[in-house]
């Protein structure tokens, strides 16, 4: 048989035969009932291209416990020992601007190399966890399961009868404690 039309079947019936799928590939069907993977593919986000928030740079509050040092936290004049108002304002401005620009300069010089180092570190850590730690733990659990079964069989075979016999032998022993004054 060559797969052509037979016994007066129309070409339309042939198109709906099991040999030709109208829905598409069975792995990536065009059928909406079977197309769950394409919905998941459309909703997935690429974490490498997400936008970052330039206003709130600590959205998860991981640096709330870091010391936040302001001018008032470092320099304070008690009542009765005030400096000139101009000196106080200049000191405040000098402290604030110096802290601001030193931080920016340090992050520009050291921040990018440290970001590279931390990126490499966490990549290595993720790699080791995925490819070394989890497989080792899984294999360890498999071995321990086997060892625990052998240990359980040994205990039930050798120790249970021994302790049961000792219990029956010593079950008639009565201990009486009295205190003599």
């Amino acid at each position: 048989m060559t797969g052509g039309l037979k016994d007066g079947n129309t070409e339309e019936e042939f198109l709906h035969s099991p040999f030709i799928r109208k829905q598409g590939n069975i792995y990536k069907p065009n059928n909406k009932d079977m197309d769950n993977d394409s919905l998941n593919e459309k909703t997935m986000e690429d974490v490498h291209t997400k936008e970052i928030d330039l206003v709130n740079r600590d959205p998860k509050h991981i640096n709330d416990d870091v010391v936040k040092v302001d001018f008032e936290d470092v320099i304070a004049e008690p009542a009765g020992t005030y400096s000139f108002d101009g000196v106080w304002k200049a000191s405040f401005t000098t402290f604030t601007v110096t802290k601001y620009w030193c931080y920016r300069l340090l992050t520009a010089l050291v921040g990018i190399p440290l970001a590279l180092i931390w990126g490499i570190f966490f990549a290595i850590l993720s790699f080791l966890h995925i490819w070394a730690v989890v497989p080792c733990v899984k294999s360890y659990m498999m071995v321990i399961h086997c060892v625990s079964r052998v240990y359980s069989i040994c205990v039930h075979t050798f120790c249970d009868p021994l302790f049961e016999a000792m219990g029956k032998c010593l079950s008639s022993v009565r201990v009486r404690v009295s205190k003599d004054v």
Side-chain angles (χ1 to χ4, degrees):
M1 179 174 219
T2 60
L5 298 175
K6 66 174 187 168
D7 298 334
N9 287 349
T10 62
E11 189 173 346
E12 197 172 296
E13 290 177 22
F14 183 75
L15 288 176
H16 291 90
S17 71
F19 299 107
I20 299 174
R21 288 182 51 90
K22 191 173 185 177
Q23 292 92 355
N25 187 337
I26 60 170
Y27 300 108
K28 291 288 183 179
N30 295 328
N31 188 348
K32 296 296 179 196
D33 296 333
M34 300 170 61
D35 197 13
N36 293 334
D37 291 337
S38 65
L39 293 175
N40 293 341
E41 289 173 2
K42 291 176 188 173
T43 58
M44 288 180 59
E45 295 179 3
D46 186 10
V47 295
H48 304 295
T49 59
K50 72 177 185 177
E51 286 200 29
I52 58 171
D53 188 1
L54 294 177
V55 176
N56 182 11
R57 295 188 183 190
D58 190 8
K60 295 183 180 179
H61 305 289
I62 60 172
N63 288 319
D64 282 349
D65 57 336
V66 176
V67 178
K68 295 177 181 134
V69 180
D70 289 326
F71 180 76
E72 296 85 13
D73 299 328
V74 177
I75 301 172
E77 292 179 333
T81 54
Y82 289 160
S83 62
F84 295 111
D85 290 344
V87 171
W88 186 253
K89 288 179 184 176
S91 299
F92 173 79
T93 304
T94 304
F95 177 87
T96 306
V97 170
T98 303
K99 184 180 93 166
Y100 176 77
W101 282 106
C102 282
Y103 177 79
R104 286 193 134 191
L105 182 66
L106 284 171
T107 51
L109 295 176
V110 183
I112 294 173
L114 281 177
L116 176 70
I117 291 168
W118 284 116
I120 292 170
F121 173 76
F122 283 110
I124 291 170
L125 193 64
S126 298
F127 174 82
L128 289 174
H129 182 76
I130 292 168
W131 292 99
V133 174
V134 172
C136 285
V137 169
K138 291 288 184 182
S139 63
Y140 174 76
M141 294 303 288
M142 290 171 65
V143 170
I144 288 300
H145 181 70
C146 179
V147 169
S148 72
R149 295 190 92 179
V150 170
Y151 178 75
S152 175
I153 290 170
C154 289
V155 166
H156 289 304
T157 303
F158 300 112
C159 295
D160 284 355
L162 175 69
F163 291 131
E164 190 174 323
M166 287 176 54
K168 286 182 180 179
C169 289
L170 300 175
S171 65
S172 61
V173 174
R174 303 280 182 237
V175 177
R176 197 173 82 182
V177 178
S178 62
K179 188 175 184 182
D180 293 332
V181 180

